[in-house]
Amino acid sequence: MIIKTVIICVRVLAFHYTFFITQQLDFFAMKYLAAFIAASLTSPALSQDIAPPSDTREISPVKSDQVERVVVTSRAINLYRNGNSSTGKLSVDPLNSTQQITTINESLIRDQGARNAKDIYRNIAGVSQFSYAGVTARGFRQEEIFFDGLRGDPYVGFNVPQLFNIERVDFLKGPAGMLYGPGAPGGLFNYVTKKPTSEFDANARIIAGSHARFGGSAEINGAINDNQNARAGVFYEQQDTYRDNSDSEVFIFDSGYTYDLQGHLLTLQYTHYSQDLGANRLRGVPVDDSGNFLTNPDWNHNEASDFLNLRSDSVQLSLEGQLSDSISYDTRLRYINNEQEQNYHEPRALIDSDGDGNIDLVGREFRDQLREQEQLSFGANFVYSGEWLGADHRTAFGIDLYKGKEDALLGAAAFQQDFVLRYLSGTSLESDIIPLTLTNPNYGITQSENYNVQFRPLSTTEQTRNGAYVLNELAWEQFTFVAGLRYDQFEDETSSAIFDDSNVSFRVGGIYKISANISLYGQWADSYEPQSVSNQQVQAGGPFEPTTGDIIEGGVNAELFDETTLLRLAVYQITRQNLLQSTGEDPEGDGIDNVAPEGEVTSDGFEVEVITDITPNWILSVAYGYNDARITADNGGGGISNSVGDRFANAPQNQFGFWTRYQIPEWDLAFAFGGNYVDDQLSLSGQNVKSYFIADASITWEVDNYSVLFRIDNLFDKEYAESGFIERTGHFPGNPRNGFVEFTFKW
């Protein structure tokens, strides 16, 4: 009864909240939305009954009996639900999982017009934007990315993953050391790539929008013969961003081939990624301690000649099938080669040039960097299914191996106070790195070819991550018990240092099914992260044990109201330990202060995710997360921002996202509205990052094989910061209001 009451309240509040927000749309947004609706309604194509598209997931058939048949089937569950996922090693549906896995499927990605990873974070309770491709998850910074369950990222640190070749995105919440080895305790992303299928599918898209946005894509997929399938796709998009000087050009070629070897499926994939980001790498915009921007958010510390370019190639081979009636397997091997080249101006000092107490000048240094990476990943996973002790018995066991190597050529023209003094006195030299004013930046004066760039010797970093695991599940009619253990060996090596160690991780969980559609779950698990190899030097007191994370979690998973509503509740506590801090002492007298693993952060929180049909044609998805991450141990020597009892940096207490979609089958139209609220937080320098709410809206028109998506992001043109970093680099501003139109044709 309590759960039912909660769901009813959520539905009522969602209705009223959505109605209220809709009434507040400003004139700009309403003008464009109204124009689009009017054009759609006056279209000759819509003035008569038209056969609907073949994809009945989106548009109901014309015949009244068919309409009734489709309408009574839950569109929310079919379109947006978190279906079976193998990211937890054992494929399970949400009702039979001892840990939370949020899945962003292709339907939701398409409906929201999502292009990159940043576009989907609102759908995941407890996740908010941090910087670049990083997020804060359950209070902790998370940057670990997996593709098809394998460690290794075709994108390099500051390049955000694109979604063109992605079938779904799984976010595994909480520590996952037993399943995947080293990683942050908040969770990890697993991007599942598109694979060839036997069903023919082809489409072409064209997109145009704000900031000179233009691009398109094409995909084709289908059977070659009875046992061979293939797919190929190409994506291109260019855009001038809202930040001064900056632009973006993205190209992806994706291909795949499968061969059915009498029940054993062989899959070969090749993907090429190209990103040219002008005037990057982007830092933030300076703010005061209250979080107010000191200039327009479109201010950029980079010159127009700066850039961040990525070229990446990924080749993946997989083989999966049945070894017997009771043993299945999947193996994957992937090789990634990428190169990232970047020129950028790094903010190094905030300057009050006239002594009036206001920052008005930013001193910079120039950096010229080239990084080349090779990554080799292998995973072999086996699942045994049978009966034991009167229960359905499954055991997953396997190994995963990873070897990464990076060669880095790092050059810089260092910041000097002399540059600033000469600039203020009007005697700047040609080789000076000219500071930028915040109110009237003087781009184009500085020329990077004149800088005195000094390059360090070529540095090589090698990383090895090898592990083996076993995960056992016993499922009776009402109770399921899960337990797993993993052993890892890891090694980090640079030209100046080497460190290796091992770790054992565990996971214990259980499920109690109250009914066929309601289950309670709980888990106890841990994670670990090796300390940075640069912090392992003996002169600083190293080597040190890895940071660790432990979680205790419980919750409810339910499918309610004739399976029209998916409800997920979670309550957790995560404790992260062994954070390095300076001792302020140098007992060896070597000029390097010692550090010690004495820091601790505790994260308490709860999360709610709901996907429901409010009416047969009205879908609502809601994700809310509350998190209280605080420093619980600190020697006061530095290494953790703030002090014991204070909130942890970049960890908002409240995060709320929703997406609602209302379709009108008679008009072949669907209207959607969504929003994302992120609470205030502290930057790494202790500056306030203000709370914000961002709203988006879209209209989709589908008829026959055609569809048109019109979308506006940041509907109210809110000025806000997504996250904070350190004081000299400022806060990362969010995008202003922007829109696009996407036309799709399907064969």
Side-chain angles (χ1 to χ4, degrees):
M1 182 65 186
I2 295 176
I3 294 176
K4 184 175 182 179
T5 301
V6 169
I7 296 298
I8 292 173
C9 290
V10 169
R11 290 180 170 183
V12 172
L13 288 172
F15 174 84
H16 288 288
Y17 185 65
T18 304
F19 179 81
F20 171 78
I21 295 295
T22 304
Q23 299 302 307
Q24 306 304 311
L25 300 181
D26 63 7
F27 177 76
F28 177 91
M30 287 297 294
K31 178 177 68 175
Y32 281 92
L33 287 172
F36 186 85
I37 294 170
S40 301
L41 295 178
T42 56
S43 170
L46 292 177
S47 65
Q48 54 188 326
D49 292 332
I50 300 176
S54 58
D55 187 357
T56 58
R57 298 173 302 170
E58 294 299 321
I59 305 298
S60 303
V62 172
K63 295 181 180 179
S64 60
D65 59 334
Q66 292 178 319
V67 172
E68 180 66 18
R69 177 179 59 82
V70 173
V71 164
V72 297
T73 302
S74 168
R75 292 185 50 79
I77 299 296
N78 289 340
L79 282 178
Y80 296 162
R81 72 160 288 167
N82 301 338
N84 283 25
S85 173
S86 58
T87 295
K89 300 297 187 183
L90 288 172
S91 180
V92 294
D93 64 61
L95 288 182
N96 296 300
S97 177
T98 58
Q99 59 191 145
Q100 295 278 16
I101 302 175
T102 298
T103 295
I104 311 300
N105 64 20
E106 192 172 4
S107 295
L108 186 54
I109 291 173
R110 182 184 64 246
D111 276 2
Q112 295 186 347
R115 283 298 189 272
N116 60 52
K118 295 173 62 176
D119 295 331
I120 62 174
Y121 296 152
R122 76 173 62 179
N123 302 292
I124 309 172
V127 168
S128 58
Q129 176 70 23
F130 182 77
S131 61
Y132 303 104
V135 301
T136 295
R138 291 186 167 183
F140 301 103
R141 184 175 183 177
Q142 193 281 335
E143 294 182 313
E144 199 73 59
I145 294 176
F146 287 71
F147 281 76
D148 292 321
L150 292 178
R151 186 179 298 273
D153 185 0
Y155 299 92
V156 182
F158 304 100
N159 294 87
V160 179
Q162 306 294 301
L163 301 177
F164 166 70
N165 62 320
I166 300 302
E167 178 182 300
R168 72 173 196 271
V169 181
D170 287 347
F171 185 73
L172 176 64
K173 296 185 177 183
M178 186 256 115
L179 297 174
Y180 290 98
L188 61 86
F189 282 97
N190 181 34
Y191 291 81
V192 180
T193 59
K194 295 178 180 178
K195 313 292 193 304
T197 64
S198 60
E199 182 178 355
F200 177 79
D201 177 51
N203 65 76
R205 292 185 171 91
I206 297 176
I207 186 172
S210 306
H211 306 294
R213 184 176 183 177
F214 177 79
S217 67
E219 295 178 90
I220 186 169
N221 173 84
I224 300 175
N225 52 39
D226 289 342
N227 55 5
Q228 297 181 77
N229 306 317
R231 73 172 302 277
V234 62
F235 171 89
Y236 174 82
E237 191 167 297
Q238 65 178 28
Q239 183 178 18
D240 294 333
T241 73
Y242 68 98
R243 300 285 296 273
D244 290 346
N245 300 325
S246 67
D247 57 57
S248 169
E249 186 174 22
V250 178
F251 173 81
I252 299 174
F253 172 76
D254 184 56
S255 60
Y257 167 82
T258 64
Y259 192 95
D260 188 347
L261 302 168
Q262 298 181 344
H264 303 272
L265 187 64
L266 176 69
T267 304
L268 177 64
Q269 296 171 264
Y270 167 74
T271 308
H272 173 75
Y273 306 87
S274 175
Q275 289 188 343
D276 292 337
L277 307 179
N280 275 268
R281 114 182 148 198
L282 284 171
R283 298 297 197 182
V285 175
V287 299
D288 60 24
D289 289 343
S290 298
N292 302 305
F293 289 118
L294 299 180
T295 185
N296 294 327
D298 56 4
W299 183 89
N300 190 354
H301 53 91
N302 285 312
E303 299 287 328
S305 56
D306 290 337
F307 60 88
L308 189 158
N309 296 339
L310 170 72
R311 301 292 182 270
S312 182
D313 294 281
S314 174
V315 180
Q316 180 170 295
L317 180 68
S318 65
L319 184 65
E320 56 188 307
Q322 294 284 142
L323 295 177
S324 69
D325 291 341
S326 57
I327 300 178
S328 63
Y329 74 95
D330 68 89
T331 61
R332 287 183 173 84
L333 177 67
R334 182 173 65 235
Y335 172 77
I336 299 174
N337 181 284
N338 53 37
E339 178 180 291
Q340 183 193 68
E341 185 178 6
Q342 54 184 325
N343 284 183
Y344 66 101
H345 287 72
E346 176 75 2
R348 294 297 299 171
L350 303 180
I351 301 165
D352 176 9
S353 65
D354 55 9
D356 64 354
N358 297 316
I359 301 297
D360 61 347
L361 201 66
V362 177
R364 307 174 295 166
E365 73 177 25
F366 176 75
R367 296 179 180 178
D368 185 349
Q369 300 183 353
L370 176 65
R371 302 176 186 272
E372 295 181 348
Q373 290 185 347
E374 288 185 292
Q375 304 173 75
L376 185 64
S377 304
F378 173 77
N381 305 287
F382 302 84
V383 177
Y384 167 80
S385 301
E387 292 186 5
W388 187 46
L389 300 177
D392 292 331
H393 175 219
R394 292 194 298 171
T395 298
F397 54 96
I399 62 171
D400 47 75
L401 314 173
Y402 172 81
K403 182 73 172 181
K405 179 182 178 183
E406 179 183 86
D407 293 321
L409 184 62
L410 307 179
F415 168 78
Q416 296 181 22
Q417 191 64 40
D418 290 347
F419 297 170
V420 179
L421 296 176
R422 282 196 290 268
Y423 173 76
L424 294 176
S425 64
T427 59
S428 296
L429 304 178
E430 189 179 29
S431 59
D432 286 348
I433 303 171
I434 304 299
L436 281 184
T437 64
L438 290 177
T439 56
N440 187 28
N442 43 350
Y443 298 118
I445 298 177
T446 183
Q447 301 294 325
S448 59
E449 60 267 22
N450 297 325
Y451 297 159
N452 182 26
V453 178
Q454 302 293 319
F455 285 91
R456 303 176 187 175
L458 180 69
S459 64
T460 298
T461 303
E462 296 187 22
Q463 190 180 78
T464 302
R465 303 286 187 265
N466 300 328
Y469 77 93
V470 60
L471 178 65
N472 193 68
E473 177 190 86
L474 291 172
W476 291 271
E477 184 174 351
Q478 284 188 290
F479 181 72
T480 300
F481 175 75
V482 176
L485 202 65
R486 179 187 178 96
Y487 175 78
D488 281 298
Q489 287 186 324
F490 52 93
E491 179 180 281
D492 294 310
E493 181 178 358
T494 68
S495 54
S496 60
I498 183 171
F499 176 76
D500 63 273
D501 204 348
S502 61
N503 188 80
V504 176
S505 305
F506 73 91
R507 178 169 165 253
V508 178
I511 299 170
Y512 178 74
K513 301 197 75 171
I514 298 176
S515 68
N517 294 320
I518 302 175
S519 62
L520 306 178
Y521 80 94
Q523 70 157 328
W524 178 32
D526 71 347
S527 68
Y528 77 98
E529 292 178 276
Q531 307 283 1
S532 170
V533 68
S534 61
N535 291 327
Q536 299 287 8
Q537 53 186 324
V538 176
Q539 297 92 327
F544 302 103
E545 295 292 321
T547 64
T548 60
D550 299 280
I551 188 172
I552 297 178
E553 179 177 350
V556 179
N557 293 314
E559 290 182 353
L560 307 173
F561 308 119
D562 295 325
E563 300 184 351
T564 63
T565 298
L566 177 66
L567 169 68
R568 310 190 73 181
L569 303 174
V571 180
Y572 62 86
Q573 181 179 84
I574 302 174
T575 303
R576 191 181 187 189
Q577 301 171 316
N578 292 347
L579 299 175
L580 293 182
Q581 297 186 268
S582 174
T583 65
E585 300 176 349
D586 181 15
E588 299 85 2
D590 53 17
I592 300 176
D593 286 348
N594 280 14
V595 294
E598 298 177 353
E600 179 185 271
V601 177
T602 299
S603 172
D604 298 305
F606 69 89
E607 298 165 349
V608 182
E609 293 183 352
V610 177
I611 303 174
T612 185
D613 289 340
I614 299 177
T615 71
N617 291 311
W618 189 0
I619 305 170
L620 173 67
S621 174
V622 175
Y624 170 75
Y626 171 83
N627 175 266
D628 187 20
R630 295 186 180 272
I631 301 166
T632 48
D634 182 7
N635 68 359
I640 301 180
S641 299
N642 310 314
S643 306
V644 171
D646 290 342
R647 291 169 56 188
F648 197 46
N650 285 303
Q653 283 194 322
N654 296 279
Q655 177 266 329
F656 172 71
F658 74 93
W659 181 256
T660 184
R661 184 179 188 269
Y662 185 80
Q663 64 180 24
I664 307 177
E666 298 83 0
W667 296 351
D668 299 317
L669 284 172
F671 301 86
F673 180 73
N676 187 32
Y677 172 81
V678 178
D679 214 348
D680 65 326
Q681 49 193 306
L682 297 175
S683 73
L684 295 175
S685 297
Q687 293 181 302
N688 185 57
V689 182
K690 294 182 178 181
S691 63
Y692 63 87
F693 173 79
I694 303 300
D696 311 311
S698 70
I699 298 175
T700 303
W701 174 45
E702 297 192 43
V703 59
D704 294 329
N705 296 331
Y706 302 89
S707 68
V708 179
L709 169 66
F710 175 63
R711 178 177 169 101
I712 297 178
D713 294 326
N714 195 356
L715 200 58
F716 309 122
D717 202 19
K718 172 72 173 180
E719 183 179 287
Y720 69 104
E722 291 180 327
S723 64
F725 204 57
I726 57 178
E727 184 175 9
R728 64 176 171 84
T729 58
H731 290 0
F732 288 87
N735 290 335
R737 178 169 49 216
N738 63 96
F740 67 86
V741 176
E742 181 182 76
F743 174 81
T744 302
F745 180 80
K746 297 181 180 180
W747 284 267

